[in-house]
Structures are given as structure tokens and as C-alpha cells.
């Protein structure tokens, strides 16, 4: 499954919508990126997101905070962005440091600016099928599945991983589309036999090549949302590809879809806010 | 599994805590019950909850609204109770009528008064392991499982049903305790073979005797959260009991635990609010 090509089209659509918005309102969509500390991977991620924003005609405003910042200062900073009418979307780069209450910081993002889909409100909205922004990676996965016409209703989706921004919301979105959903994780006994039942496998656990071809039911659809050191996914691509009907590569599968979803949701947020809706 | 006996002990504890609170603050915990229309089953449920409140020393304030009420009036009423310092918990009896946006009405309940665990905030709190109130039936199920020492970590729990106040949060609570969790529902293909894999079955679908003994893996724990006409659960008790290691009856299993959880959470809410916490 070609995430790169689909993401390019989504970003082009977002760019067109951003240009249209700029023409109508003289305002560009603005994404605030908040980075705590200088973790090299996080610095790289944020830069990449800013670059993609620029390419799509989205302004980004970067807020760099020292690693020593406390929870209350971070919460205040994020809350200030939530109230700032010139900011339409907020991305708080994870992780923020162990001494900080990350949940409190995420919750300072107003739901209508939560274009990264990390707040409790956004999670519940995904769970209940209410309006709201989706977590970007799960949202990107759903878009890929739809693009390739993968039938979801009544099919068994096995999600490996249960993080708040990836595994859990991915399961909720699949459940909302009437898949039978199983959540597996580090405590799951006989993981292979669980995965072997799956019509749709979503690997979201962050362990390089954990899932092998032998684990894949012939004809299954395999989504690799893992991203480990050395550009390696959670799935052993070659052996899995031999059995899967569709599979996402790493890189070039889920990764580009995550950023595309972020950009599309930022433009959507700006459009709504500038319409006063 | 004896829900009646365990519920009695929980209610006794709540009553003692309510008495203690009354002595310290001269205030009784107060649960506001909101009923829209006169659906006979809803009238009965609300009366039962009020009676149990009275037995536990919890004041209940009943708000009866005509079936013709609109969403905005209902939202205003609930929001008023959220702001009223003499009310500590709010129960909005489901269903509220098809012409009303039930989600909007639920969301008017302040999270710190959501003793029935129906708001999006409470759902996300269950999903993320954050502080908050649990949905009463799933919370009661977890308490029963703990009372009987049922090991959850690594075991496969199959939840049949995915409603916002029962199936979905039940799965989230089991996942938080490290069970492998599968959500089944009306679209699930070959439901019997899914259930047959379960170490723990949670039936929460509202279809009388849908699940038979043949569906139960020998030694499984069976929780019947169904409640259908004629006091019949979702599980065919006799055939399932012959194979299960533990099973809840209907009535006398999950039902009393739901109300006990409501009362316990009301006293807890009052305790926190009166401490100004």
C-alpha cells in the first residue's frame, strides 16, 4: 500500500484548501508546534512537520521550551495557544520529559485545536463516533484502508499495541466501522495465534520485526505502524508480504499518512475557526 | 458469583461513609436524578435508585421533565445541576427520547459530578487510566471480578456489545488491567467461535439467551450484563453454568453491582466536593 502517493494527494488537497482560505480571509492556517527539550528524534520530527506545513501553505509557529520546564508552565503555554485566535492547531511533541504530567499538558489543548487528536475529548469522540479530530496515525491508517477498498464490517482486526495515541484509538476507529476488534499487547499470551486469526493486522507496538510471515493469515491486510531505529517496522516485511493481500512498507506506508492527516486537520480547524463555526 | 451480597457490602460501606460525611459537614450526599418522559421501565429504574439512595443516607433530588422537552432545555437543566453546589452527583436516565441529542445532554454533566460515568471525559479517563468515575455497570463488573480473585492480566476477555455506557468502557477497563480484549457485536462473523476462545466472557448485548453453554470454553468466567424482558440475561444460564468456573446469575449478578457503584461514586463525589478538592 502506497502511503507516500496517497499522502501526497491529501497534502495537495490541504494546500489547495489553505490557498482558498487565504484568498477568502487573508489568513493562513497556523499550526503551533511545541517542543520541550532537545531530544534529537523529536527535533527531527518537528522540523519535518514544519517543512511539510510550509510546503502546504500552512504557517507554523514554533515554541521551543527548555527541558527543565515544569508541568504548570507547560500547561500555561499550551493554554495560551488554545486561547490565541491566530493559532488554529496545536501540536505538542511527545515525549515531554518524565518529570512532566504529559496528560495535563495535552488536556490544555482546546478540543477544536487538537489537530493531532491527543486529548481525552478527541479519544472519546473517536470511541463514540462524535465529531472531533482523529489521532493522526490511526486516522491515516483508516484513510489508507479506505483508499484500497478494504472491507471492514464484520472482519476481524487485531491491533497490537494500546498506546493512547495509536493502538487504542486505532481500535476504536475500526470498531466504529463495524470490525470485530482485538487489542493485543505485551501481556497477551500466544500473540502469534491471535494475529493468525486477523483479517486486518495493525502493528503498533514499536518492536522491530516482531511480526513474521508465519503469523499472517494468507490474504490478510497488514498495516505496519511501527517505526523503529534503522527505518524498520514492527513487521518483517518480506515474509509478511509473501502472505498478505495488502501490506504497508516502512518507510512509505503509514508514516507519510500521519503527517498528511495532521496537515489536513490543521486546514480543517482553520477553516472552521475562521468561519466562526 | 453473588452480586447481591457484594453489592450489599458496598452499599453498607457507602452508607457508613455518607453518615460520617454528614456528621463532619452536616451535609448529606445528594444525587440528582433526571427523567425525561414517563417510560415505565425508566420510571421503575429511577424509583429503585432513589429508594436505594434513601437506604444509604443519600438524598436524592428528582427532576421530572416532560417528554416534549427539547435538547437545549434539557442541556440547560443538567448544566444548572452541574453548577448547583448542593448537588454532588447527576444521573440522567437513559433513554431521553429520540428527538433529543442525548450526547449533548450527557456532556452537560460536569465530570466531577458524573457518578454514572456517562460523559466523554469519564470514558477517556477509563481508556487512559486517568482519575475519574467509571460507568456503573462496567465498574461493578470489575469489582465482582476482583472480589472473586479472577486473574485478568494476559487472559483473553471477549466483550459482546459495544454500547457507550457498557460494552466499550468494560473493554477499556479490562484492557487497563492487561487483559487481551476482543469486542464482538452484531456484525461479528462466527460469534460462537470468538466466544469459545474467551477466558472471560462479558455479555452486554441485550439479546435474551444469545450465548449458550456450547459457546463457553470449559472453566471460563462468564459475566452476564444483559437484562432483558422477563428477568432474562444474554446468557443461557443453565447450559453456561455447566461449563463456566464462575458465572453471574440474572437477576442477582451484575444488576445490584450497578446501583451499588452509583451509590459509592455519589458518596465519593460528595466527599471530594465537600472537602473542596
Amino acid at each position: 500500500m502506497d502511503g507516500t502517493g496517497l499522502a501526497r494527494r491529501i497534502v495537495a488537497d490541504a494546500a489547495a484548501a489553505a490557498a482558498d482560505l487565504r484568498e477568502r480571509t487573508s489568513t493562513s492556517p497556523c499550526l503551533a508546534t511545541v517542543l520541550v527539550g532537545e531530544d534529537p528524534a523529536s527535533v527531527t520530527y518537528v522540523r519535518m512537520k514544519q517543512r511539510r506545513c510550509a510546503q502546504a501553505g500552512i504557517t507554523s509557529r514554533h515554541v521551543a521550551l527548555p527541558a527543565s520546564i515544569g508541568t504548570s508552565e507547560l500547561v500555561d503555554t499550551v493554554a495560551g495557544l488554545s486561547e490565541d485566535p491566530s493559532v488554529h492547531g496545536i501540536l505538542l511533541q511527545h515525549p515531554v520529559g518524565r518529570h512532566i504530567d504529559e496528560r495535563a499538558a495535552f488536556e490544555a489543548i482546546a478540543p477544536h485545536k487538537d489537530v493531532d487528536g491527543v486529548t481525552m475529548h478527541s479519544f472519546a469522540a473517536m470511541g463514540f463516533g462524535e465529531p472531533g479530530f482523529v489521532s493522526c496515525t490511526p486516522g491515516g491508517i483508516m484513510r489508507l484502508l479506505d483508499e484500497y477498498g478494504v472491507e471492514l464490517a464484520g472482519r476481524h482486526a487485531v491491533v497490537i499495541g494500546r498506546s493512547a495515541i495509536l493502538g487504542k484509538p486505532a481500535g476504536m476507529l475500526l470498531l466504529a466501522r463495524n470490525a470485530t476488534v482485538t487489542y493485543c499487547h505485551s501481556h497477551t499470551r500466544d500473540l502469534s495465534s491471535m494475529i493468525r486469526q486477523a483479517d486486518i493486522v495493525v502493528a503498533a507496538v514499536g518492536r522491530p520485526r516482531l511480526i513474521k510471515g508465519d503469523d499472517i493469515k494468507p490474504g490478510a491486510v497488514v498495516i505496519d505502524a511501527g517505526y523503529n531505529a534503522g527505518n524498520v517496522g514492527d513487521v518483517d516485511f518480506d515474509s509478511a508480504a509473501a502472505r498478505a493481500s495488502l501490506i504497508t512498507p516502512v518507510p512509505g506506508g503509514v508514516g507519510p499518512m500521519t503527517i498528511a492527516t495532521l496537515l489536513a486537520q490543521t486546514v480543517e480547524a482553520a477553516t472552521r475557526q475562521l468561519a466562526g463555526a
Side-chain angles (χ1 to χ4, degrees), chain A:
Chain A
M1 302 168 92
D2 174 20
T4 304
L6 176 55
R8 196 176 293 133
R9 279 183 282 143
I10 293 170
V11 172
D13 287 348
D20 179 61
L21 189 67
R22 198 161 44 247
E23 190 160 309
R24 288 188 289 114
T25 67
S26 306
T27 308
S28 291
C30 174
L31 175 70
T33 54
V34 180
L35 177 64
V36 177
E38 295 174 350
D39 173 68
S42 293
V43 169
T44 303
Y45 281 134
V46 168
R47 277 203 195 126
M48 183 165 62
K49 288 165 186 170
Q50 292 171 319
R51 199 167 59 236
R52 294 292 164 78
C53 279
Q55 290 166 353
I58 296 170
T59 306
S60 57
R61 182 191 305 181
H62 188 56
V63 181
L65 300 168
S68 60
I69 196 171
T71 297
S72 70
E73 293 161 276
L74 178 58
V75 165
D76 288 349
T77 301
V78 174
L81 295 168
S82 287
E83 282 172 19
D84 183 339
S86 68
V87 169
H88 306 114
I90 300 170
L91 171 94
L92 171 60
Q93 182 65 41
H94 164 89
V96 293
R98 292 189 168 216
H99 63 293
I100 289 177
D101 179 349
E102 183 172 84
R103 178 48 49 198
F106 278 151
E107 292 308 309
I109 302 172
H112 66 289
K113 295 190 180 182
D114 182 22
V115 294
D116 203 25
V118 297
T119 58
M120 291 169 74
H121 183 275
S122 294
F123 176 72
M126 289 182 269
F128 291 172
E130 293 290 320
F133 291 114
V134 295
S135 301
C136 288
T137 304
I141 290 169
M142 299 306 290
R143 189 76 175 72
L144 259 178
L145 290 168
D146 284 341
E147 179 71 11
Y148 283 85
V150 177
E151 190 192 348
L152 300 173
R155 298 187 81 197
H156 190 187
V158 173
V159 178
I160 306 107
R162 53 174 169 165
S163 70
I165 56 170
L166 180 41
K168 271 199 194 111
M172 283 294 132
L173 292 173
L174 289 160
L175 187 60
R177 295 284 298 278
N178 299 323
T180 299
V181 173
T182 297
Y183 286 103
C184 295
H185 46 77
S186 54
H187 289 78
T188 296
R189 296 177 193 166
D190 200 359
L191 179 63
S192 292
S193 83
M194 296 299 300
I195 300 173
R196 227 170 280 138
Q197 299 180 38
D199 301 309
I200 298 147
V201 176
V202 178
V205 70
R207 287 179 56 189
R209 297 199 183 98
L210 173 71
I211 296 159
K212 318 281 187 196
D214 286 350
D215 301 329
I216 306 297
K217 178 163 86 173
V221 174
V222 178
I223 303 290
D224 188 351
Y227 189 73
N228 307 293
N231 269 354
V232 173
D234 290 348
V235 176
D236 183 62
F237 184 83
D238 290 338
S239 63
R243 294 172 66 120
S245 61
L246 289 167
I247 185 168
T248 58
V250 174
V254 170
M257 293 299 298
T258 299
I259 296 189
T261 304
L262 175 70
L263 301 187
Q265 294 197 136
T266 300
V267 176
E268 193 184 328
T271 303
R272 284 192 210 154
Q273 287 163 45
L274 291 168

